[in-house]
Amino acid sequence: IQQIDSYSSDMREQAIECLGSSVGAKAVPILSKYLSDTDKKVRMSVVEAMATLHDRTATTALEKAFNTEKDARVLFLLIHSLRADPKPYSLDFFRKVLRENPNPTLRREAIGGLAAINNNEARNTLNQALKTEKDQTVIKSINYMLSWMRIHRR
């Protein structure tokens, strides 16, 4: 953990993994600062470490990082991690990605997050998106997830 400020990105990456697994949610303020690290692998390690914490402050930090991240792989990992453990308070995040992000792959991940939340607001968001979406792969994903949501209604 002492190597978290190392000049070596490999050392920072290892320190982040240790910090996330040993300290838990208390590590969020420290880990958050590395979401803007210059090294992509370090940022990806932070995302993975924070995603395992199942903590609202970690989720909020990951959502904020999505807005500033430029690397496609890190963006995908960010939204995929949030989708893996979706919380109702992330509904606005998934909705914004679905409505505003130009990348169909990221929009499909947002659809998965909305489906996993599976409440009326999430269903309404997906039904609204069907009215304006142009990408056929995204439309197919929306339809599939709406069907899944009907079967697994909460």
Side-chain angles (χ1 to χ4, degrees):
I1 294 176
Q2 294 172 349
Q3 298 299 321
I4 200 159
D5 287 323
S6 172
Y7 290 108
S8 163
S9 61
D10 290 337
M11 296 299 281
R12 289 194 309 276
E13 201 176 332
Q14 289 174 9
I16 285 163
E17 289 169 12
C18 286
L19 186 64
S21 63
S22 64
V23 179
K26 294 178 201 165
V28 171
I30 297 165
L31 291 172
S32 294
K33 129 178 154 175
Y34 293 93
L35 283 167
S36 58
D37 194 275
T38 57
D39 188 272
K40 171 176 68 173
K41 286 182 178 180
V42 171
R43 294 192 310 275
M44 291 175 84
S45 290
V46 174
V47 171
E48 289 171 347
M50 289 178 80
T52 64
L53 299 177
H54 311 289
D55 176 78
R56 188 171 188 155
T57 56
T59 299
T60 301
L62 292 173
E63 289 173 358
K64 283 183 185 176
F66 186 88
N67 295 323
T68 57
E69 180 60 53
K70 302 290 184 234
D71 184 88
R73 286 185 181 182
V74 180
L75 282 168
F76 181 82
L77 184 60
L78 275 161
I79 194 163
H80 186 74
S81 297
L82 292 165
R83 174 192 172 179
D85 186 32
K87 304 291 185 219
Y89 52 78
S90 291
L91 189 126
D92 287 335
F93 168 76
F94 290 124
R95 181 185 292 137
K96 182 178 180 186
V97 173
L98 178 58
R99 289 179 179 163
E100 299 175 13
N101 196 286
N103 184 322
T105 301
L106 298 179
R107 291 201 313 276
R108 288 191 304 269
E109 285 294 309
I111 292 163
L114 289 164
I117 291 171
N118 199 5
N119 63 19
N120 286 334
E121 206 171 343
R123 282 187 289 279
N124 291 340
T125 298
L126 292 175
N127 281 314
Q128 285 298 116
L130 274 177
K131 296 175 184 176
T132 58
E133 182 59 55
K134 304 282 188 254
D135 185 286
Q136 289 303 309
T137 64
V138 175
I139 292 169
K140 193 181 234 182
S141 186
I142 292 170
N143 283 321
Y144 176 81
M145 288 303 187
L146 283 168
S147 295
W148 182 90
M149 291 167 82
R150 280 189 285 279
I151 294 166
H152 298 92
R153 192 168 290 230
R154 292 183 181 164

